[in-house]
Amino acid sequence: MSEQGLEAIELAVGYGRKQVASNVNLRVQTGQVVCLLGPNGSGKSTLLRTLLGLQPPLGGQVKVQGKPLEQWRARALARQLAYVPQAQDSAFAFTVEQWVLLGCASELAWYSQPRAADRQWAGVCLERLGIGQLAQKRIDQISGGERQLCVIARALAQRSQFLIMDEPASSLDFANQLRVLDQVSHLRQEGLGVLLCTHQPEHAARVADWVILYRDGGILAQGQPCDMLSQARLRQLYQLPAHAFELPDWYARGG
Ligand SMILES: Nc1ncnc2c1ncn2[C@@H]1O[C@H](COP(=O)(O)OP(=O)(O)OP(=O)(O)O)[C@@H](O)[C@H]1O
């Protein structure tokens, strides 16, 4: 198998003496969408933050394009990995455009202003998320869902090779959820690798090339979406009773 990609090798993650997960082996390749599913508190965000180098591993290793994470310089790493966290507030009264332009920071020299091309690119990223009209609004004066779309736009603005997304659609309405999933599919076509953590199996069914089921301190199983998103697997993952997937007849018929 190719050494390229974002890779966890026998990774253990956690906080100080508290180990949250261990023996984690996974790989995200360019042009691939990998979805991570697991119950609340199973350690998905902890794993993502460790893959990004935002917290140290308790064991094992993370490699980016075959090179250990700790050997990357910050600026070069920013061109490899972008992060869409679960929720993010801004301490400053940036406009949405200024905030999205922060995603271009790794491309700029120290203390330099964004160029016209950066502004144009930030505008493209906002349009891709359907929020071009928010560009001159203050980031602290828009809704939570709108801010979540801005977080995604800022990550796109970074032009990285891999995008690590932690429940990017959790606070979005139905149309915006679909818009974000469409963007994920586009990013794959453009050759990016995406690691997407989601609580919604139907989102994984829509975009995933590979699915990782995560619980009880590590990876329960990983494989093709058709195998991992079966009712039996999801019952096992979330410890659901057999009737959990029953829907009213009218809904099952398509309404
Ligand atoms: N800063 C921290 N210090 C110590 N323990 C933490 C910290 N952050 C999270 N934890 C614990 O680590 C475990 C995993 O948390 P994490 O946020 O990674 O789970 P998650 O799967 O992303 O959850 P959710 O689906 O609810 O977002 C939980 O037991 C949580 O209480």
Side-chain angles (χ1 to χ4, degrees):
M1 197 186 250
S2 150
E3 276 267 292
Q4 299 302 296
L6 169 63
E7 197 181 5
I9 304 153
E10 293 296 318
L11 192 65
V13 302
Y15 303 87
R17 283 199 222 150
K18 175 178 172 172
Q19 182 169 283
V20 172
S22 60
N23 299 320
V24 175
N25 292 289
L26 65 84
R27 185 192 298 268
V28 185
Q29 314 240 24
T30 51
Q32 186 189 34
V33 178
V34 175
C35 285
L36 179 67
L37 279 90
N40 287 129
S42 56
K44 302 176 298 298
S45 300
T46 306
L47 172 62
L48 299 191
R49 290 174 52 78
T50 309
L51 290 172
L52 285 151
L54 298 176
Q55 63 185 81
L58 300 188
Q61 196 170 41
V62 177
K63 284 187 177 179
V64 180
Q65 307 290 33
K67 180 166 144 181
L69 186 67
E70 63 278 10
Q71 290 178 15
W72 284 86
R73 286 176 176 267
R75 194 177 274 251
L77 191 61
R79 290 183 196 126
Q80 292 294 327
L81 306 180
Y83 180 34
V84 176
Q86 265 185 32
Q88 200 168 47
D89 288 326
S90 171
F92 302 100
F94 289 121
T95 66
V96 164
E97 184 194 51
Q98 288 167 334
W99 203 67
V100 170
L101 276 165
L102 292 175
C104 303
S106 68
E107 306 260 321
L108 301 176
W110 293 109
Y111 302 113
S112 66
Q113 294 286 323
R115 302 153 295 187
D118 298 321
R119 290 226 155 70
Q120 196 184 359
W121 175 235
V124 169
C125 295
L126 286 168
E127 288 299 339
R128 283 178 70 160
L129 276 307
I131 49 170
Q133 77 285 1
L134 298 181
Q136 298 313 319
K137 291 217 170 184
R138 274 177 48 171
I139 192 80
D140 57 346
Q141 293 179 355
I142 59 177
S143 78
E146 289 169 337
R147 198 169 312 123
Q148 185 61 18
L149 292 169
C150 292
V151 176
I152 300 169
R154 191 185 58 179
L156 291 186
Q158 201 172 316
R159 298 183 207 255
S160 63
Q161 195 63 65
F162 296 93
L163 201 54
I164 297 186
M165 308 177 90
D166 197 351
E167 298 175 41
S170 60
S171 54
L172 301 181
D173 68 37
F174 186 55
N176 278 327
Q177 289 180 21
L178 298 181
R179 181 173 280 134
V180 167
L181 294 173
D182 274 355
Q183 280 308 314
V184 169
S185 298
H186 269 118
L187 294 171
R188 168 184 34 217
Q189 280 164 16
E190 289 171 6
L192 270 81
V194 180
L195 178 57
L196 171 73
C197 172
T198 177
H199 281 304
Q200 285 163 282
E202 63 274 25
H203 287 188
R206 200 176 257 266
V207 295
D209 299 302
W210 191 255
V211 174
I212 299 173
L213 307 181
Y214 198 72
R215 75 161 298 129
D216 294 338
I219 292 178
L220 175 68
Q222 55 181 315
Q224 303 289 336
C226 56
D227 297 324
M228 293 299 113
L229 299 174
S230 66
Q231 288 193 11
R233 278 292 192 193
L234 293 176
R235 274 208 304 270
Q236 184 189 11
L237 179 65
Y238 295 109
Q239 303 198 330
L240 294 167
H243 62 78
F245 292 92
E246 285 172 15
L247 290 167
D249 281 349
W250 63 265
Y251 192 88
R253 281 196 310 271

